[in-house]
Amino acid sequence: MARKPETQILNPPGDVISAVKFSPQANKFLLVASWDASVRLYDVVSNSLRHTFFHSSPVLDCAFLDTFKTVSGGLDNIVKLYDLNAHIESVLGSHNAGVKCVESSAMLNGILTGSWDKSVKLWDLREKECVGTYEQSNGKVYSMSCIDEKLVVATSERKVLIWDLRNMKNYIERRESSLKYQTRSVRCFPNKEGYVMSSIEGRVAVEYFDANPEVQKKKFAFKCHRAKEGDMELIYPVNAISFHSVYNTFATGGSDGYVNIWDGFNKKRLCQFHLYDSSISSLCFSDDGSTLAIACSYMDESETAPDPYPKPTLYVRYVNEQETRPK
């Protein structure tokens, strides 16, 4: 029997879904963080909820360290580890304000966390301790992405900080965001050439690390997640970005309820999926690029709440080459 292209996951969280992350080297397990203070592990193949553990406040991000160990952080300022096999949770440490971003670094065998206290911390997994706190005066950490030795941090003051993880004492570059409005998401290209970032004002920028003027000429920004209503243009935040690891194409999710797939090198939109239940709050491609997790959550964008109030929903979409491969 042919598999459906999309599955709605049962037993989603009860409040806004802040992050979805696939297990490394596996399309089966999906980690989901939520404002209901839970972190949940789903088996998307059997469509079942396997584990749930809790923080004392909303959880803003989560990540897999390996197939069986996870890390999460949120508004309780705590960085928490959870061993899915042993069902053991432990507190790794804390920040002085909410933990907005959590990234696992295979190169360092460590964890990177970014906080609203304007700092980035590096945690050693073996010693289970903080081995570096990197404070910067460029605003709260809003989004963060690492690929091998590169770490990109986007802040509340529209700054982009680029670190080399082999020498974290100082960031190697500070850039002004090329987007005029608040950053929502930043993700590194899998090929390490640059990063993509999005804003609350329906725009996405494609940027390159190489400072060579010829390379910098290739950077660009484009409008997306917008709609016409009569003479008015409705502009929606672009909340989520996720890269396809094989093709270097990327998905964006907006508060318009749509997911688009883009070829950033050729400046093309490859496809748009159907309209989802509410705003797209998080996206994640599986490691092999065959599956895209899509989290839908109403994020209080309107002055008047819709009636009925949309409940969070969670989908996995089995994408095909026509949707994700550059043409």
Side-chain angles (χ1 to χ4, degrees), residues 22-252:
F22 270 108
S23 171
Q25 288 85 51
N27 311 331
K28 184 176 180 178
F29 294 119
L30 183 70
L31 198 64
V32 177
S34 169
W35 278 72
D36 71 1
S38 74
V39 180
R40 297 164 186 240
L41 180 77
Y42 294 90
D43 180 332
V44 300
V45 176
S46 64
N47 198 348
S48 59
L49 177 60
R50 296 287 294 269
H51 297 285
T52 307
F53 63 97
F54 292 92
H55 283 244
S56 59
S57 298
V59 187
L60 302 182
D61 204 4
C62 60
F64 279 97
L65 307 175
D66 57 32
T67 315
F68 302 109
K69 292 188 179 71
T70 71
V71 59
S72 51
L75 292 184
D76 56 6
N77 307 354
I78 298 292
V79 181
K80 189 176 270 195
L81 298 174
Y82 191 77
D83 186 316
L84 299 166
N85 266 351
H87 302 278
I88 294 171
E89 60 180 76
S90 55
V91 172
L92 185 59
S94 65
H95 278 266
N96 293 325
V99 181
K100 178 64 174 69
C101 306
V102 177
E103 289 277 310
S104 172
S105 169
M107 193 185 86
L108 298 178
N109 190 26
I111 297 162
L112 292 150
T113 54
S115 169
W116 289 342
D117 67 8
K118 303 185 180 182
S119 76
V120 173
K121 288 191 176 190
L122 173 61
W123 308 85
D124 186 319
L125 275 176
R126 288 156 297 203
E127 303 298 326
K128 293 196 173 178
E129 65 180 13
C130 179
V131 290
T133 300
Y134 310 101
E135 295 180 8
Q136 42 78 29
S137 57
N138 298 283
K140 299 174 181 177
V141 175
Y142 272 6
S143 188
M144 197 164 85
S145 179
C146 70
I147 181 91
D148 293 343
E149 76 282 359
K150 283 277 197 300
L151 171 68
V152 178
V153 175
T155 76
S156 58
E157 295 180 9
R158 295 182 44 257
K159 297 294 186 288
V160 179
L161 310 173
I162 301 167
W163 263 281
D164 185 326
L165 293 178
R166 295 166 299 190
N167 180 12
M168 285 284 288
K169 283 179 183 163
N170 292 295
Y171 46 80
I172 53 175
E173 194 177 350
R174 182 180 76 168
R175 296 179 178 180
E176 188 87 10
S177 169
S178 54
L179 303 174
K180 289 180 185 173
Y181 293 87
Q182 186 192 98
T183 305
R184 270 289 161 91
S185 183
V186 65
R187 301 310 298 164
C188 293
F189 272 100
N191 65 8
K192 301 197 288 182
E193 288 186 16
Y195 57 91
V196 171
M197 61 191 299
S198 67
S199 78
I200 58 169
E201 191 246 347
R203 283 180 192 266
V204 167
V206 177
E207 303 277 345
Y208 292 88
F209 290 128
D210 191 336
N212 184 309
E214 288 304 307
V215 176
Q216 286 299 309
K217 277 183 193 171
K218 296 193 293 182
K219 73 178 188 177
F220 67 100
F222 61 94
K223 296 176 183 178
C224 54
H225 297 280
R226 296 174 177 221
K228 283 276 189 193
E229 197 172 89
D231 294 334
M232 281 177 57
E233 184 179 42
L234 303 178
I235 299 171
Y236 297 92
V238 185
N239 303 313
I241 302 168
S242 184
F243 268 98
H244 192 286
S245 59
V246 181
Y247 297 134
N248 285 291
T249 53
F250 60 92
T252 59

